Amino acid sequence: MTSFFAMGGYGAFIWPAYGVSLLGLAAMVWQSWAAWRAAQKRLAALEEDKQ
Amino acid sequence: MSPAFASLLVRDLKLAARSGGSAALALAFFALMATLVPLGVGADLRLLARVAAGVLWVGAVLAALLSLDRLYQGDFDDGSLDLIALSPLSLEQVALAKFLAHWLSTGLPLTLLSPLLALFFGLPGRGTAMLMLSLLIGTPAVSAVGAIGASLTLSLKRGGLILPLLILPLLVPVVIFGAGAVSAALDGLANGALGLLGAFSLAAVLLSPFVTAACVRLNLAG
Amino acid sequence: MSPAFASLLVRDLKLAARSGGSAALALAFFALMATLVPLGVGADLRLLARVAAGVLWVGAVLAALLSLDRLYQGDFDDGSLDLIALSPLSLEQVALAKFLAHWLSTGLPLTLLSPLLALFFGLPGRGTAMLMLSLLIGTPAVSAVGAIGASLTLSLKRGGLILPLLILPLLVPVVIFGAGAVSAALDGLANGALGLLGAFSLAAVLLSPFVTAACVRLNLAG
Amino acid sequence: MFRYANPAQFMRLSGALLPWVSLFAVVALVSGTILGFRVPPDYQQGMTVTIMFVHVPAAIVAESAYALIAVASIFSLVWRHPLADTAARAAAPLGAVFTALGLITGSLWGRPMWGAYWVWDARLTSFLLLLFLYLGYIALWNAIEDETRAARAAAILALVGAVNLPIIKFSVDWWNTLHQGESILSGQIAPVFLWPLLTMALGYMLTFAALWMVRIRTEIVARRARSLMQRGEAA
Amino acid sequence: MIVSLTAEKLALTRGDRQLFADLDFTVTAGEALVVEGANGVGKTSLLRLIAGFLPPTMGFVRIATDQRAVSDGEERGRFVGWLGHQDGIKPQLNLREQLEFFARLYGAEAALEPLLERVGLWRQRLLPCRYLSAGQKKRLGLARLIVAARPLWLLDEPFAALDKNGRALAVELMQAHCIAGGIVVAASHDPFGFHARSLRLGAA
Amino acid sequence: MIVSLTAEKLALTRGDRQLFADLDFTVTAGEALVVEGANGVGKTSLLRLIAGFLPPTMGFVRIATDQRAVSDGEERGRFVGWLGHQDGIKPQLNLREQLEFFARLYGAEAALEPLLERVGLWRQRLLPCRYLSAGQKKRLGLARLIVAARPLWLLDEPFAALDKNGRALAVELMQAHCIAGGIVVAASHDPFGFHARSLRLGAA
Ligand code: HEM
Ligand SMILES: Nc1ncnc2c1ncn2[C@@H]1O[C@H](COP(=O)(O)OP(=O)(O)OP(=O)(O)O)[C@@H](O)[C@H]1O
Ligand SMILES: Nc1ncnc2c1ncn2[C@@H]1O[C@H](COP(=O)(O)OP(=O)(O)OP(=O)(O)O)[C@@H](O)[C@H]1O
Ligand SMILES: [Mg+2]
Ligand SMILES: [Mg+2]
């Protein structure tokens, strides 16, 4: 198991690389989704106002 | 910090951000200019490490220069400066707020980014630390001297080349001490550059609001 | 050259001159560079000669940047651009005149001044000649691409760092070929840099008026 | 073609596609990662080769996104299609993040391979310049308030950038040979590495597609809200 | 010579706001049209639209001359004499330089000194424009209109900043222009000194 | 509270031109003074002089309050509400941000929304000021005057660019200001809508 994490001595580079990639993807997903929800909510509120 | 002072500071930062002078852009500009140099000079990291301090320091001065005419000329042109001058703030306080806003949106971000750029130039660790320290100490002087220049030329229309002409000579000591401190650190020498830089910077920051206020006064009468 | 075209060109040159001579700026700017780089690199003239071309080329590009917002923003702010747009000149001709004015007031003086700076860097004779030639060929591209950037951002208020961010990446080939030509000349090699630089420059100068005119058009509609 | 480019049509179509695209994206990413960690160490690069599976897909997506923006910009300028503006605008931040990811993972790969986090290699340099092109494009969009104007200006910039990008790449390559770059990226890929790489690449592309759709949808909804608000006030 | 200016089914939307729609009017040579309406109703925008700066959201504007009809915005601009809200004056140039530049740019052959005399700026002719007062700048704008010698005058608040004398001068110039077969379209909140048709925006 | 504004033997020379000399006047609380005169006669200059921007060539300006008399230019400025020819508006900020900044800068506590309503800009409150029409900008200037709540109003062509409604509003505000014990000094070419003393420059 430790040898898996050590990655032949290159763990210090491989894990950050995957970590950063995951973080980047997750951040994009989160931001896009949050913006989508916010926009939807705003529209719904406005439509309700009109009625 | 009085609310009036804070409001001016915040407004200037906001305006900077909206007209593309935000800290983020200062960073991008700085990084870009750091990229250009290897393209001209060549990719040899050893050589690059030697010029890094000079180049990054010139970049800091340039980023400041390019955004300086935002400082007073815009407010002068559209009459905002009249209204600001009539506010409860003294012109010295106004000058201080504007100097601060300028430093926060150019000097500070550059300082924070410099380690990354040092990486691009292959600068070793102690050089990097010194670069950052010298920028932290020296960039306020750039903004302070720049503010004087901006207020002197504030009635001139945009694109004036007079401003750089006025302040570049004044900034030469800053750049020389700043870059010199880094060179010395690279060579493992201790030298007084940092102290001199600090003294210059302190003097510039302390004097600038008064000189700037005087220039503004002069120009409002124009 | 029609009288209308000439009048616009002359006016722009006059305005440039009245807000500070550009040759002087070029000198000041280069003087700064010329003090700084030796400081980092050390007084080794051979090493200096190696970095000279790159540094001077980067300097040329940056110096052009400083005066770019004079090109369109001023005329846009005060309504002159409306009047110019209604004149018998097409916007493409206007763009050409303004590009020319910018080059004449920055690129050309810089080129003429370069031998002096080459001296500071200990650039040998053939390097100097090539530096001058490459500046002569390349600086029009700087003004041309710069004009595109200036027209894109003409509705933004002054002091933005966005303009350099837009155009510096586009100018990378100019810096590379320009500095490359000098390096090659120093090594006594012939390389295609000058030809490539010429081609880029020609394309930029030919295309720029059309792109610029399109940008102006869209901004007048604002 | 334009039939699908009207906002209502797009909402319907993308609404139907989105769950599937997202699902496949997740599946591809997960299986690609698992496959990636099961490859044998490369004889030259050791286990660092696993970085390739996040590095190369990010780089590919980053470059394609710029091409997409350029194409959308043509549509925007020539046919004045508002959806094209939205699409271009929505792609830019994604492209920038993918570019950043490519740069970061690349430099993490570079440290063990070349002994430095950064070298001025031709490909790295032009990739860095791509990041700047993205940043400039985004900054221009944000700086101009008026939307139609910003859209047109950004489209012009994107096209100028797209025309210039090959020249930039060429010049940087030329520069690099002039100065003898210190490394060349490996050329041939062994088949063992190919499958995880392809799977991951697919995963990255689908992720990009899904996020792109979400962002376009967001903009359409936001626009609807804005015009509603305006009308409400007029009343 | 220009014969008429026609707008048909003109509509303009800025941002999310519709300023006007279904606007129709024709002005023929020798006529003056005053555009009226509350602040922000779209007068300036209408003038910019006619000048060809702004594309209309719908409809079109056409200028008819004895030879042909022109609808293209940029071509239309070649008929326009413009006096806008912004002064278009460079502070660094002196008054005569400013006017000379403009005359050359428009290919005009007017004698400038008598003109400066007429608009009451002869004394200031060598003063950098930076020092002109608001009304003096407006007078320079009037001089520019005459120099350009264009058939269609588009004037945005022509009377603002002018003193009594200046207003009389402006009226005189407009009348002369109309008599000479030109067209004047002006946006103004002030009473117009001579007979002009009026177009009220935002009345609906 | 301010009691009076006095000018004594005031003279001003700009460049090589003497604009006025030996000017004496006093305005007491509750009064309005209209400065009149031809273009370029020096009205704007006089206002800038009173505000303390320009030092007089001779003579002085004094503001008397119940406690003391103030002659220093910069101190005088603290009493001044300014509506100049230039709008002092940043295109990048929206209307509310613009007014909020101003209120904080002047340490004022006005409720902004009702004020925006009053000057007819409520609908535009979130619009970047870049898009405001000329009259809308002037109305923002009026709002700013109220926010600043200064006793001495210096107004340069307060009616320019305003529509009929806007002019009525400006008159109403000025009258209210005078009734509340303030002073108004305005330069204007337009007939003034209410009783005000007049000062003619350049009559000599
Ligand atoms: C900051 C550092 C790096 C950057 C910015 C970078 C950038 C790129 C780019 C732009 C691509 C092109 C993707 C495409 O084909 O469209 C790429 C591909 C690739 N990179 Fe990197 N790279 C970096 C470091 C590295 C390192 C250190 C290695 C390995 C030693 C590496 C190996 C590869 C491989 C194997 C490919 C794909 C094969 C190919 O297309 O030829 N990269 N990289
Ligand atoms: N440096 C200078 N040299 C000579 N004359 C000057 C100088 N500066 C200003 N002037 C003159 O001083 C006058 C300033 O006028 P000011 O702006 O005060 O006029 P005003 O009465 O407000 O006019 P308007 O009604 O047009 O607004 C102008 O006639 C101008 O030409
Ligand atoms: N992008 C935008 N979004 C919303 N509204 C806008 C936008 N651009 C302009 N407007 C509005 O359009 C109108 C433009 O008015 P315009 O300048 O044509 O008015 P005007 O009739 O000339 O007014 P004034 O009498 O004040 O000069 C203003 O009400 C402004 O608020
Ligand atoms: Mg208007
Ligand atoms: Mg005046």
Side-chain angles (χ1 to χ4, degrees):
Chain A
M1 199 60 197
T2 41
S3 79
F4 176 72
F5 283 110
M7 282 284 159
Y10 293 122
F13 304 106
I14 295 173
W15 295 118
Y18 274 81
V20 164
S21 302
L22 186 66
L23 209 75
L25 293 178
M28 279 188 286
V29 170
W30 179 79
Q31 199 272 337
S32 306
W33 191 250
W36 163 248
R37 292 306 303 247
Q40 256 188 332
K41 240 185 230 156
R42 213 168 116 76
L43 182 64
L46 280 168
E47 268 168 351
E48 203 160 293
D49 263 10
K50 245 178 63 179
Q51 278 144 23
Chain B
M1 199 156 65
S2 73
F5 186 88
S7 74
L8 189 58
L9 182 61
V10 169
R11 180 195 81 138
D12 269 26
L13 289 173
K14 213 186 253 178
L15 287 176
R18 304 243 169 115
S19 54
S22 63
L25 271 172
L27 293 185
F29 168 74
F30 200 41
L32 196 48
M33 114 125 227
T35 313
L36 229 47
V37 172
L39 293 177
V41 171
D44 180 358
L45 276 181
R46 257 184 330 234
L47 183 59
L48 283 176
R50 294 241 53 107
V51 296
V55 166
L56 294 182
W57 259 102
V58 173
V61 169
L62 205 75
L65 259 184
L66 281 168
S67 53
L68 262 181
D69 64 356
R70 176 177 76 221
L71 212 51
Y72 287 99
Q73 291 189 349
D75 282 347
F76 180 77
D77 286 351
D78 66 15
S80 302
L81 200 54
D82 289 344
L83 292 166
I84 293 173
L86 295 174
S87 79
L89 292 178
S90 70
L91 282 176
E92 284 77 12
Q93 286 172 303
V94 171
L96 189 64
K98 283 187 164 282
F99 150 73
L100 258 181
H102 187 258
W103 183 70
L104 287 176
S105 63
T106 58
L108 183 62
L110 295 195
T111 305
L112 297 178
L113 188 75
S114 57
L116 187 61
L117 296 176
L119 199 79
F120 279 77
F121 280 87
L123 209 62
R126 48 173 199 289
T128 305
M130 185 52 92
L131 176 66
M132 213 174 156
L133 191 60
S134 72
L135 282 171
L136 186 66
I137 296 177
T139 46
V142 177
S143 293
V145 172
I148 297 178
S151 62
L152 261 177
T153 56
L154 109 192
S155 64
L156 303 179
K157 283 289 139 175
R158 61 165 73 240
L161 301 170
I162 291 181
L163 180 57
L165 210 59
L166 278 178
I167 69 169
L168 280 181
L170 295 176
L171 286 177
V172 166
V174 182
V175 179
I176 289 182
F177 294 143
V182 181
S183 291
L186 282 180
D187 299 337
L189 300 170
N191 71 7
L194 211 58
L196 291 171
L197 185 64
F200 186 95
S201 199
L202 192 67
V205 171
L206 287 181
L207 285 180
S208 162
F210 299 98
V211 181
T212 307
C215 295
V216 170
R217 221 162 263 138
L218 195 76
N219 275 302
L220 282 178
Chain C
M1 197 157 66
S2 74
F5 186 89
S7 75
L8 189 57
L9 181 62
V10 168
R11 181 195 80 138
D12 270 25
L13 288 173
K14 216 184 251 177
L15 288 177
R18 301 240 170 121
S19 51
S22 28
L25 166 80
L27 194 60
F29 197 75
F30 275 130
L32 185 71
M33 286 265 193
T35 4
L36 273 180
V37 174
L39 195 79
V41 177
D44 181 356
L45 274 184
R46 255 189 331 235
L47 196 56
L48 271 179
R50 287 240 60 96
V51 297
V55 167
L56 291 181
W57 254 104
V58 172
V61 169
L62 295 178
L65 259 184
L66 282 172
S67 52
L68 262 180
D69 66 353
R70 179 179 72 222
L71 213 51
Y72 286 99
Q73 291 187 350
D75 283 347
F76 180 77
D77 285 349
D78 66 15
S80 302
L81 200 55
D82 289 343
L83 291 166
I84 293 173
L86 294 174
S87 78
L89 293 178
S90 70
L91 283 177
E92 283 77 10
Q93 286 172 303
V94 171
L96 188 64
K98 284 188 162 281
F99 149 74
L100 257 181
H102 187 258
W103 183 71
L104 288 176
S105 65
T106 59
L108 186 61
L110 243 136
T111 305
L112 298 178
L113 210 70
S114 56
L116 188 63
L117 298 162
L119 210 70
F120 280 104
F121 282 86
L123 210 61
R126 50 173 197 289
T128 304
M130 186 51 96
L131 176 67
M132 222 176 149
L133 190 61
S134 72
L135 281 172
L136 186 67
I137 296 178
T139 46
V142 176
S143 293
V145 173
I148 297 178
S151 61
L152 270 173
T153 55
L154 92 147
S155 69
L156 303 179
K157 281 291 141 176
R158 56 170 77 245
L161 287 173
I162 190 169
L163 180 58
L165 180 59
L166 295 186
I167 67 169
L168 286 182
L170 302 177
L171 286 174
V172 160
V174 182
V175 173
I176 289 180
F177 294 140
V182 182
S183 294
L186 283 181
D187 298 339
L189 299 170
N191 67 10
L194 213 56
L196 292 169
L197 183 64
F200 185 90
S201 203
L202 192 68
V205 171
L206 288 182
L207 285 180
S208 161
F210 298 98
V211 180
T212 307
C215 296
V216 171
R217 215 164 267 135
L218 89 91
N219 273 305
L220 282 177
Chain D
M1 159 100 226
F2 284 157
R3 216 157 11 109
Y4 300 104
N6 103 27
Q9 279 287 353
F10 178 84
M11 288 302 277
R12 214 167 313 135
L13 195 68
S14 62
L17 277 175
L18 197 51
W20 296 103
V21 176
S22 316
L23 182 68
F24 282 121
V26 171
V27 169
L29 286 179
V30 170
S31 48
T33 309
I34 293 171
L35 284 176
F37 278 112
R38 290 174 56 194
V39 299
D42 184 72
Y43 73 100
Q44 254 186 338
Q45 313 189 341
M47 276 313 278
T48 58
V49 74
T50 41
I51 296 182
M52 177 167 72
F53 307 132
V54 284
H55 167 69
V56 176
I60 292 173
V61 171
E63 289 181 344
S64 329
Y66 199 85
L68 287 176
I69 290 175
V71 171
S73 299
I74 294 178
F75 273 85
S76 147
L77 281 181
V78 178
W79 290 285
R80 297 283 156 82
H81 206 289
L83 201 60
D85 294 334
T86 312
R89 182 176 199 175
L94 299 177
V97 173
F98 278 108
T99 311
L101 286 182
L103 281 170
I104 296 171
T105 53
S107 68
L108 282 169
W109 198 357
R111 186 62 222 270
M113 289 300 102
W114 308 328
Y117 283 108
W118 184 263
V119 294
W120 291 98
D121 167 86
R123 179 132 52 153
L124 312 199
T125 306
S126 42
F127 206 56
L128 182 63
L129 289 168
L130 178 66
L131 179 66
F132 290 130
L133 285 179
Y134 271 122
L135 293 182
Y137 180 81
I138 294 170
L140 188 63
W141 257 110
N142 290 340
I144 304 179
E145 288 119 13
D146 186 58
E147 246 177 75
T148 38
R149 236 204 288 185
R152 306 272 302 279
I156 291 177
L157 179 68
L159 286 182
V160 171
V163 168
N164 214 356
L165 200 53
I167 307 176
I168 294 176
K169 286 201 138 164
F170 170 78
S171 70
V172 172
D173 281 336
W174 184 92
W175 164 76
N176 200 50
T177 50
L178 181 77
H179 292 286
Q180 274 127 45
E182 15 215 298
S183 90
I184 308 144
L185 298 185
S186 59
Q188 226 60 38
I189 292 186
V192 251
F193 301 132
L194 195 61
W195 278 110
L197 182 61
L198 286 182
T199 319
M200 277 303 252
L202 185 68
Y204 267 64
M205 285 182 206
L206 290 174
T207 307
F208 175 83
L211 291 174
W212 197 21
M213 280 194 269
V214 171
R215 295 178 82 91
I216 297 175
R217 289 166 67 82
T218 305
E219 185 52 37
I220 291 174
V221 168
R223 203 175 279 169
R224 213 177 279 164
R226 270 200 301 273
S227 70
L228 255 187
M229 198 175 76
Q230 205 75 29
R231 243 177 284 152
E233 273 165 18
Chain E
M1 210 48 232
I2 195 170
V3 173
S4 71
L5 167 75
T6 310
E8 262 178 54
K9 297 218 159 296
L10 214 54
L12 183 65
T13 301
R14 307 203 62 181
D16 304 317
R17 182 154 170 225
Q18 186 173 68
L19 293 179
F20 47 79
D22 272 330
L23 198 65
D24 295 283
F25 61 82
T26 302
V27 198
T28 51
E31 267 188 323
L33 180 75
V34 188
V35 184
E36 296 173 309
N39 287 142
V41 81
K43 301 179 294 299
T44 301
S45 306
L46 177 61
L47 292 183
R48 290 188 73 81
L49 197 163
I50 296 175
F53 294 133
L54 281 177
T57 314
M58 293 245 252
F60 59 89
V61 175
R62 197 179 45 225
I63 288 178
T65 71
D66 2 9
Q67 283 114 33
R68 66 212 177 94
V70 176
S71 317
D72 173 66
E74 225 143 310
E75 264 186 273
R76 234 155 51 214
R78 304 289 173 261
F79 293 93
V80 170
W82 181 257
L83 180 64
H85 202 79
Q86 293 164 296
D87 54 32
I89 291 175
K90 290 286 162 194
Q92 301 103 313
L93 300 180
N94 73 34
L95 225 154
R96 208 171 52 191
E97 285 173 324
Q98 181 80 47
L99 207 54
E100 261 170 13
F101 155 65
F102 192 76
R104 292 224 187 92
L105 181 66
Y106 273 64
E109 312 269 312
L112 300 185
E113 300 261 326
L115 186 55
L116 282 174
E117 181 100 53
R118 176 140 190 230
V119 297
L121 291 175
W122 192 81
R123 260 180 70 192
Q124 280 79 20
R125 71 197 179 287
L126 295 179
L127 196 68
C129 291
R130 176 191 313 286
Y131 301 121
L132 294 182
S133 78
Q136 289 168 336
K137 282 182 186 159
K138 199 75 174 209
R139 283 159 181 262
L140 180 51
L142 290 177
R144 218 160 35 190
L145 264 183
I146 299 180
V147 166
R150 292 284 177 86
L152 171 60
W153 282 7
L154 299 179
L155 317 177
D156 201 357
E157 320 217 10
F159 300 133
L162 289 177
D163 59 12
K164 217 173 265 163
N165 241 316
R167 287 179 199 207
L169 175 70
V171 168
E172 195 187 309
L173 294 178
M174 287 191 267
Q175 269 179 316
H177 183 66
C178 285
I179 288 171
I183 292 180
V184 173
V185 179
S188 177
H189 298 295
D190 292 297
F192 228 62
F194 69 105
H195 177 72
R197 279 171 48 202
S198 121
L199 172 71
R200 248 204 118 64
L201 288 185
Chain F
M1 210 47 233
I2 196 170
V3 174
S4 70
L5 167 75
T6 310
E8 265 178 51
K9 296 216 157 300
L10 214 55
L12 183 65
T13 302
R14 308 202 64 179
D16 44 16
R17 177 149 174 232
Q18 184 173 69
L19 292 179
F20 46 79
D22 272 331
L23 199 64
D24 295 283
F25 61 83
T26 303
V27 198
T28 52
E31 269 189 321
L33 180 75
V34 188
V35 184
E36 295 172 311
N39 286 141
V41 81
K43 303 179 292 301
T44 302
S45 305
L46 176 60
L47 293 183
R48 290 187 73 81
L49 197 162
I50 298 175
F53 295 133
L54 280 176
T57 315
M58 294 248 252
F60 57 89
V61 175
R62 196 178 45 226
I63 287 178
T65 70
D66 2 12
Q67 284 114 34
R68 66 213 177 93
V70 176
S71 317
D72 174 66
E74 224 142 312
E75 263 185 272
R76 234 156 51 217
R78 304 291 174 264
F79 293 93
V80 170
W82 181 258
L83 179 64
H85 202 78
Q86 294 163 294
D87 53 33
I89 291 174
K90 290 287 161 192
Q92 302 101 313
L93 299 180
N94 74 33
L95 227 154
R96 208 170 54 188
E97 286 172 326
Q98 181 81 46
L99 208 54
E100 260 171 13
F101 155 66
F102 192 76
R104 291 224 189 92
L105 181 66
Y106 274 65
E109 312 269 313
L112 300 185
E113 299 262 324
L115 185 56
L116 283 173
E117 182 100 54
R118 176 138 190 232
V119 297
L121 290 175
W122 192 81
R123 258 182 72 189
Q124 280 80 18
R125 71 197 179 287
L126 296 179
L127 197 68
C129 291
R130 177 190 310 284
Y131 301 120
L132 294 182
S133 78
Q136 288 168 335
K137 283 182 184 157
K138 200 73 174 210
R139 283 160 181 261
L140 181 51
L142 291 176
R144 217 159 36 189
L145 266 182
I146 300 179
V147 166
R150 292 282 177 87
L152 171 59
W153 282 7
L154 300 179
L155 317 178
D156 202 356
E157 319 217 11
F159 300 133
L162 288 177
D163 59 12
K164 216 174 264 165
N165 241 316
R167 287 178 197 207
L169 175 70
V171 167
E172 195 187 310
L173 293 178
M174 286 191 269
Q175 270 180 316
H177 183 66
C178 286
I179 290 171
I183 293 180
V184 173
V185 178
S188 177
H189 298 294
D190 292 297
F192 228 63
F194 69 105
H195 177 73
R197 279 171 48 201
S198 118
L199 172 71
R200 249 204 115 63
L201 289 185

